[in-house]
Amino acid sequence: MALFKRLNSKLTPIINTGFGTNATLNGKRFLNKDGNARVKRLGLSFFESNSWYHTLLDMPTWKFLGVLLLFYMGINFVFACLYFAIGIEHLNGIATTQSQWEQFGQAYFFSAQTFTTVGYGHISPVGFMTSALSAAEALIGLLSFAIATGLFFGRFSKPRVYLKFSDNAIIAPYQNGTALMFRMAPYKNTNYLDTEVDATIGLSIEEDGVLTNKFYTLDLEINKVNTLVLSWTIVHPITDKSPLYQFTEEDFANVQGEILVFVKTFDDMYSTTVATRTSYIFPEVVYGAKFKSMFESSAKHTHTLIHLDDLNTFEKVML
């Protein structure tokens, strides 16, 4: 209650965050570490509530390739079964003296040749039903490869934000007081211009006996840089105007809170603005720490070396 009175007397909460005020509905945190909202949408069928195009664009590469392989193998298996059901004698080139497993195997590979429109000519359809089925399979194959090509292009051409964030935020000494800090760094050969950061803190506090979500803007020491080529430590000075003012280590352990980070930058490779986000819940905030340096000069002093594996390295200090 004392925390609520202090915040309510000095700060005006944000009401248009999109996360709602009911603290029992946020599932422990608002955003996952990868920036996706911690929300499951119910009330619609599985196919209505999922965009397969977006799912295939966003899934990891190994999963995407696995889906394509399974689809290719599965659809050829289905057509091989259909050819086998019509009758293997309608596929000219498959010997009827072979075992059924060998006949099915050849029907499967005939399906693969038809699906890809390769058509080696060793096996050919005979009769209306088999010819119609192979014609339909060739059409489905052409459409499938067109869709797969579009998905490959979409995955390669989709703008992505290649930024890594530190695993933890820290409460560190700053000037004559303390500050909340976290840092990020680009990790690919991309050029980011006009990078802008916004940070919001969400607190679950008791108001009239009801646990309520309250959101407050965190004022940053610098919230925009012209170009982002090295790491950037984002600093929120903890003054008497900060929602974290007079927060102790015990408060971070006992209060349910989350720091929401939103980053917007211009990628000159794609000539477009891209965005990303992440969050830090209070157990991920280290009280009394200082980030270690990530930089050093090259041996000949011609380059600045940045060690991305040190992005989250810090040392404990007394506050």
Side-chain angles (χ1 to χ4, degrees):
M1 183 60 69
L3 172 63
F4 169 71
K5 289 181 178 179
R6 180 177 63 79
L7 293 173
N8 199 43
S9 62
K10 290 189 175 183
L11 301 170
T12 302
I14 308 170
I15 60 174
N16 59 342
T17 61
F19 292 105
T21 59
N22 192 331
T24 63
L25 301 181
N26 67 338
K28 302 297 183 183
R29 68 187 305 162
F30 302 102
L31 296 177
N32 293 318
K33 293 296 287 183
D34 61 4
N36 291 321
R38 205 178 181 91
V39 174
K40 287 187 177 180
R41 296 171 177 84
L42 306 176
L44 295 176
S45 69
F46 178 76
F47 294 99
E48 284 184 295
S49 60
N50 284 277
S51 168
W52 291 105
Y53 178 75
H54 289 88
T55 300
L56 289 170
L57 285 185
D58 289 336
M59 69 172 47
T61 301
W62 68 271
K63 284 188 178 181
F64 176 71
L65 295 177
V67 168
L68 291 185
L69 180 61
L70 288 175
F71 172 78
Y72 178 74
M73 296 174 62
I75 197 168
N76 281 303
F77 178 80
V78 170
F79 275 103
C81 291
L82 293 175
Y83 288 124
F84 207 75
I86 292 174
I88 210 69
E89 65 274 9
H90 295 288
L91 291 176
N92 187 29
I94 297 181
T96 57
T97 57
Q98 294 174 327
S99 69
Q100 287 191 337
W101 284 111
E102 291 180 10
Q103 290 175 351
F104 184 83
Q106 292 201 42
Y108 181 89
F109 289 114
F110 169 73
S111 171
Q113 295 163 21
T114 304
F115 188 79
T116 58
T117 68
V118 172
Y120 290 120
H122 173 63
I123 303 173
S124 58
V126 177
F128 176 78
M129 288 295 295
T130 310
S131 299
L133 182 61
S134 62
E137 183 180 10
L139 176 61
I140 294 173
L142 287 171
L143 295 176
S144 299
F145 278 99
I147 294 172
T149 302
L151 288 170
F152 267 107
F153 176 77
R155 289 177 64 87
F156 280 106
S157 62
K158 178 185 176 182
R160 299 178 185 271
V161 184
Y162 296 107
L163 287 176
K164 284 187 179 295
F165 293 89
S166 57
D167 296 332
N168 299 95
I170 62 173
I171 302 298
Y174 176 76
Q175 295 181 355
N176 295 324
T178 59
L180 170 75
M181 301 182 187
F182 57 91
R183 62 183 178 183
M184 63 183 185
Y187 63 95
K188 292 213 181 255
N189 53 334
T190 53
N191 295 317
Y192 292 134
L193 308 175
D194 295 330
T195 304
E196 188 173 353
V197 177
D198 290 316
T200 301
I201 188 169
L203 298 170
S204 296
I205 55 180
E206 188 174 332
E207 180 180 5
D208 298 328
V210 178
L211 202 60
T212 305
N213 288 331
K214 294 287 185 178
F215 296 90
Y216 302 91
T217 299
L218 295 180
D219 295 327
L220 304 179
E221 178 191 42
I222 300 175
N223 72 332
K224 186 176 182 179
V225 293
N226 293 333
T227 182
L228 181 60
V229 293
L230 301 174
S231 69
W232 180 13
T233 300
I234 292 89
V235 178
H236 163 66
I238 300 178
T239 66
D240 58 353
K241 297 181 180 179
S242 168
L244 296 175
Y245 183 61
Q246 293 181 341
F247 256 60
T248 64
E249 188 172 6
E250 290 73 22
D251 291 327
F252 281 102
N254 297 324
V255 177
Q256 183 175 332
E258 183 174 356
I259 299 150
L260 310 173
V261 181
F262 305 91
V263 181
K264 182 172 61 176
T265 185
F266 183 82
D267 189 332
D268 69 350
M269 177 66 70
Y270 293 101
S271 293
T272 188
T273 298
V274 292
T276 189
R277 54 204 174 274
T278 191
S279 75
Y280 299 94
I281 56 176
F282 277 6
E284 296 168 342
V285 178
V286 180
Y287 191 88
K290 182 175 68 173
F291 281 123
K292 293 184 178 180
S293 175
M294 297 174 57
F295 309 105
E296 65 175 337
S297 177
S298 62
K300 296 183 179 180
H301 303 286
T302 57
H303 293 82
T304 298
L305 306 180
I306 177 171
H307 298 277
L308 294 174
D309 53 342
D310 290 335
L311 182 64
N312 196 58
T313 56
F314 56 83
E315 58 185 357
K316 295 287 290 183
V317 296
M318 294 294 296
L319 293 181

